[in-house]
Amino acid sequence: MVFPATATASEGAHLVGSQLSLLWGLPFTGTLLSIALFPLVAPHFWEHHFGKITAFWAATLLVACATSFGILVTATEVLHAAALEYFPFIILLFSLFVVAGGIQLAGNLIGNPTTNTALLGIGAVAASLVGTTGAAMLLIRPLIRANQDRHHNSHVFIFFIFLVANIGGSLTPLGDPPLFLGFLKGVDFLWTVTALFPPMAVASIVLLLLFYCIDRYHWRKEGAKWPTSHVPRQLRIEGLHNVAYLAGIMVVVLLSGVWKPDVDIPLGLGVALPLEGLVRDVVLLALGYLSWRTTRRSIRVENAFAWTPIQEVAFLFAGIFITIIPVLAILRAGKDGALAHLLTLVTTADGRPNEAAYFWLVGALSSFLDNAPTYLVFFNLAGGDAQQLMGPLFKTLLAISAGAVFMGANTYIGNAPNFMVKAICEERGIRMPSFFGYMLWSGGILLPLFAVITFIFFR
């Protein structure tokens, strides 16, 4: 979730992860359980008060932190998380949400199994080119329109999250933040293409075949027929100028990672905002504004564009970014932190890296925590030398990269676009699974698939 290009160190007072117990993770756990349980046991209450509930858990942590470590440390951590992590994260989501919402695939696209499978395949490829968030925001509305008349359609969007919002972003550093972090640490831009293509291809092919079978079953169960008009005709793209804005977003994100003017803007409390981060965020907001002003209102009306999904994501992730602060501090402490016993699992008795353990441990943490810092922790734990990791430790870096990207699909909060897709679908009247309901799908489908990938690539 963290925007990698802005995660720079500051000089202020911070929490020391080695001094924190796992009890400091309770507010984060409470936030996750609230997201998981309230929509099930009190959906009406949650719908109207989710912001207050999230704020309660954030306030609980902040009061405890201020009492135990002082207001200065607490304020520094909040400012650091807000300026360097949350606002860049939400600004990127906002710009993609607005720009993609101005692109409409118009025509008689019908969501039959062949069309749906083709859209998922196209989206999986596009995710490595424009990022998982960009591809998800670009294709989710056409997919919703194509399937809006089907009675059983939630599985379409579950597989969309699996493929487009996560696994598809494996092949370039633009695909997912962890890979972009690796690129900044010296991993060759094309390394991900050659290294991650085999496991990505296996996962994608299996999921597409499985999806086609499931979708064909529901299609026949509903008594749907294959009309002669099922072949897309008169398809056209409206709001095509937004593609230029989308390309601009990708270019700005890439440049913010490689352009380093070494100019920091002090914000106080020892926190400084890198100039490249400020320029990037301003340009992203400008592109979103231009898209809003230059796109015909009728296009957004046809897209059923609404602000509710981005508002929900902004509120919930504000709480997540605050309550996750001590958890990430413990994780960064490595062998000196309360999670040190987990880190010992990635090394065999004779001192060699255990690639299977790297894959599953990085993946498990990335399913609930931020996959970008998780990637960095294990990248450094494996030596932190990009040349060594691309050479003799090739399988170790492969396991870390695949775990961070693939297993973000395990939960709604594993990767940024997951929750966005859920929110947009629910805004359009699609009944998506609950937090745990989604995990039943991911556990039943993805975990066996990841076990196969482990056997093929990491044994």
Side-chain angles (χ1 to χ4, degrees):
M1 293 181 288
V2 170
F3 203 104
T6 60
T8 58
S10 60
E11 299 293 334
H14 288 278
L15 294 176
V16 180
S18 60
Q19 299 176 359
L20 301 176
S21 74
L22 292 179
L23 291 176
W24 285 96
L26 288 178
F28 177 66
T29 303
T31 301
L32 297 188
L33 289 177
S34 297
I35 294 172
L37 296 177
F38 270 105
L40 289 177
V41 299
H44 184 73
F45 180 80
W46 174 254
E47 180 181 354
H48 291 86
H49 301 287
F50 66 86
K52 297 175 185 176
I53 296 171
T54 307
F56 165 77
W57 289 114
T60 299
L61 173 70
L62 294 179
V63 170
C65 188
T67 302
S68 300
F69 304 106
I71 295 178
L72 179 62
V73 171
T74 305
T76 301
E77 288 288 1
V78 171
L79 180 60
H80 184 278
L84 299 182
E85 297 170 359
Y86 174 72
F87 282 115
F89 161 81
I90 207 66
I91 287 172
L92 175 61
L93 280 188
F94 172 82
S95 62
L96 288 168
F97 179 74
V98 174
V99 170
I103 301 174
Q104 181 189 9
L105 181 62
N108 67 331
L109 198 64
I110 296 176
N112 58 50
T114 300
T115 300
N116 285 338
T117 304
L119 284 175
L120 293 185
I122 292 170
V125 174
S128 286
L129 302 177
V130 298
T132 53
T133 303
M137 293 303 97
L138 187 62
L139 291 174
I140 184 59
R141 291 181 180 87
L143 192 65
I144 288 174
R145 282 197 303 274
N147 290 273
Q148 61 188 357
D149 295 327
R150 294 185 57 176
H151 299 296
H152 301 283
N153 56 12
S154 61
H155 66 281
V156 177
F157 306 100
I158 292 171
F159 276 84
F160 184 86
I161 292 175
F162 292 169
L163 283 158
V164 181
N166 290 276
I167 294 172
S170 305
L171 300 185
T172 74
L174 291 176
D176 218 30
L179 303 182
F180 193 66
L181 278 180
F183 171 65
L184 297 181
K185 288 291 185 179
V187 178
D188 292 343
F189 190 91
L190 295 178
W191 180 88
T192 51
V193 177
T194 57
L196 282 164
F197 178 77
M200 182 267 192
V202 170
S204 298
I205 291 171
V206 169
L207 288 174
L208 287 171
L209 290 173
L210 180 60
F211 169 78
Y212 181 84
C213 294
I214 293 174
D215 202 40
R216 184 69 182 272
Y217 167 78
H218 284 294
W219 178 269
R220 289 181 169 180
K221 185 178 180 180
E222 293 174 19
K225 297 181 180 180
W226 295 72
T228 56
S229 61
H230 83 276
V231 178
R233 294 178 300 174
Q234 299 177 345
L235 291 181
R236 64 189 185 280
I237 300 177
E238 298 183 351
L240 191 59
H241 67 285
N242 283 289
V243 174
Y245 296 141
L246 186 63
I249 291 173
M250 295 303 105
V251 170
V252 169
V253 170
L254 181 60
L255 288 180
S256 71
V258 297
W259 175 53
K260 299 295 182 183
D262 294 325
V263 177
D264 293 332
I265 301 169
L267 301 178
L269 299 177
V271 178
L273 180 64
L275 177 61
E276 63 270 22
L278 177 62
V279 171
R280 182 204 59 237
D281 292 346
V282 170
V283 173
L284 290 178
L285 288 173
L287 289 171
Y289 175 77
L290 287 173
S291 172
W292 180 258
R293 296 289 297 179
T294 60
T295 302
R296 293 198 321 272
R297 178 177 173 80
S298 61
I299 294 177
R300 297 192 187 275
V301 170
E302 288 295 321
N303 269 340
F305 182 90
W307 294 107
T308 304
I310 192 68
Q311 290 173 346
E312 183 177 359
V313 169
F315 278 116
L316 292 179
F317 276 91
I320 289 174
F321 269 84
I322 290 176
T323 56
I324 203 175
I325 289 173
V327 181
L328 293 180
I330 293 172
L331 190 59
R332 284 193 295 267
K335 295 180 179 179
D336 296 323
L339 294 173
H341 61 286
L342 293 180
L343 303 181
T344 60
L345 298 177
V346 298
T347 305
T348 62
D350 57 359
R352 293 183 297 105
N354 185 333
E355 286 84 10
Y358 267 107
F359 177 64
W360 283 95
L361 187 52
V362 172
L365 293 175
S366 295
S367 299
F368 296 95
L369 304 180
D370 195 322
N371 62 356
T374 300
Y375 173 95
L376 264 189
V377 166
F378 286 92
F379 183 94
N380 291 325
L381 187 67
D385 186 330
Q387 296 305 314
Q388 284 289 315
L389 287 169
M390 289 187 292
L393 298 178
F394 175 91
K395 289 180 63 176
T396 303
L397 182 57
L398 177 61
I400 295 171
S401 303
V405 177
F406 288 9
M407 294 203 197
N410 285 340
T411 71
Y412 277 136
I413 64 167
N415 201 17
N418 299 6
F419 207 92
M420 285 290 293
V421 169
K422 175 180 182 292
I424 292 173
C425 287
E426 291 178 338
E427 176 70 20
R428 298 288 294 272
I430 296 170
R431 296 186 62 181
M432 293 294 287
S434 66
F435 188 89
F436 290 123
Y438 175 85
M439 289 182 65
L440 286 177
W441 278 87
S442 64
I445 294 173
L446 294 182
L447 294 186
L449 174 60
F450 294 151
V452 172
I453 288 176
T454 302
F455 178 79
I456 297 174
F457 298 101
F458 303 125
R459 62 190 177 96

